[in-house]
Amino acid sequence: MSTAKQIIEQGKAILGIEFGSTRIKAVLIDGENKPIAQGSHAWENQLVDGLWTYSIDAIWNGLQDCYADLRKDVQKQYGVEIENLAAIGISAMMHGYMAFNDKDEILVPFRTWRNTNTGKAAAELSKLFNYNIPLRWSISHLYQCILDGDKHVSDIKFQTTLAGYIHWQLTGEKVLGVGDASGMIPVDPQTKTYNAKMVEKFDQLIAPKKLGWKLLDIFPRVLVAGENAGSLTAEGAKRLDPSGHLKAGIPFCPPEGDAGTGMAATNAVKQRTGNVSAGTSSFSMIVLEKDLSKPYEAIDMVTTPDGSLVAMVHCNNCTSDLNAWVNLFKESLELMGQKVDMDELYGRLYNNALTGDADCGGLLAYNYISGEPVTGLAEGRPMFVRSANDKFNLANFMRVHLYGSIGVLKIGNDILLKEEKIKIDRITGHGGLFRTKGVGQRVLAAALNSPISVMETAGEGGAWGIALLASFVVNNDKKQNLADWLDAKVFAGNTGTEIAPTAADVEGFNKYIEAYKAGLAIEKTAVEAKK
């Protein structure tokens, strides 16, 4: 077996890069799909003119700094330079709006998934298609611009997602993985491309506007996992690695969204499997055996990276408010002259939460940094609520913020599990909420009343997931489907560590969520009162 150093020197390592909400991460893997080096770059979205965005400069500076950090890690560990790679994959936050003119210039600042200004468009399209079209989907953003009479719309020559944009700039290819594409406009699981009937209906809808284009003129071509999606151009190599060491010609897998890479990273692309990603935002992905009985506003229908139908519950908020409270405790400890290790602080606070009351002693927490479409809020106000007689102590306080981080997720999944009676064999958790061993897992098990597995690799996240999809392009010698290849080549029977829900925890979470739903009136009033 070659060493990691030899694999890098021989150009056989595979690179995955994912643009998350707060961090850009790069993971380098070997021929056995194991991580051997990584790099990262912290970034934050900006609220500009009332819309959440990241600037083009922030995107490229972030990518270059992340890759430079990876090079630094490789040099530190192995004393070698990255000059060639076997494959590359790009992943990013799904949805949003990036539109370009005939000079490849962006027409308006990138509008992220977090924006909720598309309510009118999403409602009209949902009715037109008889299919739930979420606010954050690319088609909602496009149609909202048309409804608003934005002048730039007639100049659009190409519209894509963040992953599609970066991939295009590095390879010259205007393509998108089917999972990410299913967040632009619904995809037909049979044809594994945009739903032809919906595309036709949209074109007919906008025809009177005489914009000079039809939808397929401006949308990227759809590819499925395993297809070659182009290769690194000389210009792309310089943009990724300004130091000039990286060579052109490296093959790419189709660019994917963070939902698809989460499915790959948790081995959840088979029917009756699912995963929950819980970090800045949260979402659950359940791979279905058949379509749902009817559309639900809280359920988005997307696909796996190889085109199977998935029911997705997407929540705009998850751990941001929880993290803010932990940082407050850090400040108070530092005020007392204590040196704080954040991993230890999280661990102690999270584990102490498990000693609290199963229903959080009556406390309520709303983690709405931004709006939350599942519960009908276009804006958010983070809020902690208690009555004089509630059991207000540290354990319950932390427990209610853990519950609050996945409260909306439970509301959406109750539709799938209780109303549609979906059968699930395995749910795997990944993301920051699960970093403290056993705690987030136990809370999620109580919320969904289902066993939750977490793998040791869960912390590698979507960058590892997109690296796996890149590996699938060049290392699928037996021409297996994606699910079988992941089973055989990556996970080899490993299903992680499982925690089953306890009856007391389930009962407590159910009691909490009823109070949570009743208390949404408080959150709505707070939004209206504080403009």
Side-chain angles (χ1 to χ4, degrees), residues 401-422:
H401 281 89
L402 284 164
Y403 277 23
S405 67
I406 53 171
V408 179
L409 195 71
K410 176 176 172 58
I411 291 170
N413 276 278
D414 277 353
I415 295 170
L416 293 173
L417 300 171
K418 295 179 180 180
E419 295 184 35
E420 290 284 334
K421 307 208 181 302
I422 296 299

Side-chain angles (χ1 to χ4, degrees), residues 131 137 177-196 198 222 224 291 301-304 306-309:
Y131 204 93
W137 278 18
V178 64
D180 206 4
S182 67
M184 293 193 72
I185 192 171
V187 158
D188 183 339
Q190 301 304 315
T191 63
K192 302 192 189 304
T193 189
Y194 306 117
N195 185 298
M198 295 185 194
V222 181
V224 297
D291 207 343
M301 303 304 293
V302 292
T303 76
T304 62
D306 57 350
S308 292
L309 201 61

Side-chain angles (χ1 to χ4, degrees), residues 46-312:
Q46 306 296 319
L47 190 62
V48 179
D49 297 328
L51 294 170
W52 293 103
T53 188
Y54 300 86
S55 70
I56 294 294
D57 284 346
I59 292 168
W60 290 107
N61 290 339
L63 177 64
Q64 291 168 1
D65 186 59
C66 177
Y67 184 80
D69 195 46
L70 173 73
R71 284 181 57 228
K72 195 183 299 180
D73 187 42
V74 167
Q75 288 162 353
K76 182 180 177 183
Q77 287 195 72
Y78 310 112
V80 295
E81 182 60 67
I82 305 170
E83 295 191 350
N84 205 355
L85 294 162
I88 299 175
I90 298 292
S91 171
M93 300 167 279
M94 292 174 72
H95 323 300
Y97 185 69
M98 298 191 84
F100 300 86
N101 63 17
D102 56 1
K103 296 177 183 175
D104 297 345
E105 299 164 332
I106 196 162
L107 290 164
V108 291
F110 168 37
R111 296 175 183 180
T112 78
W113 58 270
R114 201 170 197 174
N115 291 296
T116 54
N117 64 308
T118 56
K120 191 172 190 298
E124 287 190 19
L125 292 175
S126 295
K127 187 176 179 182
L128 178 70
F129 298 152
N130 189 31
Y131 204 93
N132 180 42
I133 304 298
L135 277 72
R136 66 186 184 283
W137 278 18
S138 302
I139 195 73
S140 296
H141 284 278
L142 174 61
Y143 189 48
Q144 190 65 52
C145 289
I146 293 170
L147 290 176
D148 292 343
D150 288 1
K151 291 181 180 178
H152 77 268
V153 173
S154 59
D155 294 328
I156 298 174
K157 293 297 179 187
F158 182 47
Q159 183 192 340
T160 190
T161 65
L162 178 57
Y165 164 66
I166 298 158
H167 180 96
W168 166 44
Q169 293 295 300
L170 296 179
T171 67
E173 298 290 338
K174 295 178 177 180
V175 298
L176 205 56
V178 64
D180 206 4
S182 67
M184 293 193 72
I185 192 171
V187 158
D188 183 339
Q190 301 304 315
T191 63
K192 302 192 189 304
T193 189
Y194 306 117
N195 185 298
K197 289 181 180 177
M198 295 185 194
V199 169
E200 185 180 0
K201 283 184 177 180
F202 185 81
D203 284 339
Q204 289 172 351
L205 176 68
I206 65 168
K209 303 286 185 182
K210 295 184 170 29
L211 296 170
W213 50 258
K214 290 187 174 182
L215 200 60
L216 296 187
D217 297 334
I218 65 170
F219 268 22
R221 184 165 53 92
V222 181
L223 300 175
V224 297
E227 292 190 82
N228 189 299
S231 57
L232 186 66
T233 62
E235 184 183 7
K238 289 176 186 173
R239 296 201 78 174
L240 178 57
D241 179 20
S243 75
H245 288 93
L246 192 64
K247 294 174 181 171
I250 301 162
F252 274 66
C253 69
E256 265 299 349
D258 48 3
T261 59
M263 285 186 274
T266 54
N267 196 20
V269 298
K270 273 186 180 171
Q271 292 180 354
R272 292 175 62 121
T273 66
N275 79 91
V276 170
S277 173
T280 305
S281 63
S282 70
F283 50 82
S284 62
M285 311 285 291
I286 309 299
V287 189
L288 302 177
E289 296 178 281
K290 60 180 182 178
D291 207 343
L292 300 181
S293 64
K294 62 180 181 180
Y296 294 93
E297 198 170 336
I299 311 290
D300 308 343
M301 303 304 293
V302 292
T303 76
T304 62
D306 57 350
S308 292
L309 201 61
V310 175
M312 178 184 195

Side-chain angles (χ1 to χ4, degrees), residues 320-340:
S320 294
D321 192 44
L322 180 60
N323 293 340
W325 284 108
V326 174
N327 281 325
L328 195 70
F329 290 125
K330 171 180 175 276
E331 281 188 49
S332 65
L333 287 167
E334 288 175 340
L335 198 62
M336 298 294 291
Q338 302 292 317
K339 189 176 180 182
V340 180

Side-chain angles (χ1 to χ4, degrees), residues 25 33 35 261-270 273-276 425-438 440-441 444 451-461 464-465 468 483 486-499:
K25 187 175 179 182
N33 301 302
T261 59
M263 285 186 274
T266 54
N267 196 20
V269 298
K270 273 186 180 171
T273 66
N275 79 91
V276 170
D425 295 330
R426 186 183 77 245
I427 299 178
T428 306
H430 66 115
L433 184 68
F434 304 104
R435 187 164 175 171
T436 298
K437 194 170 183 178
Q441 203 173 348
L444 185 62
I452 304 295
S453 298
V454 170
M455 300 182 186
E456 289 298 321
T457 51
E460 301 297 341
W464 184 56
L468 295 180
L486 288 171
D487 270 345
K489 293 290 187 180
V490 181
F491 295 96
N494 175 26
T495 56
T497 304
E498 185 179 273
I499 288 181

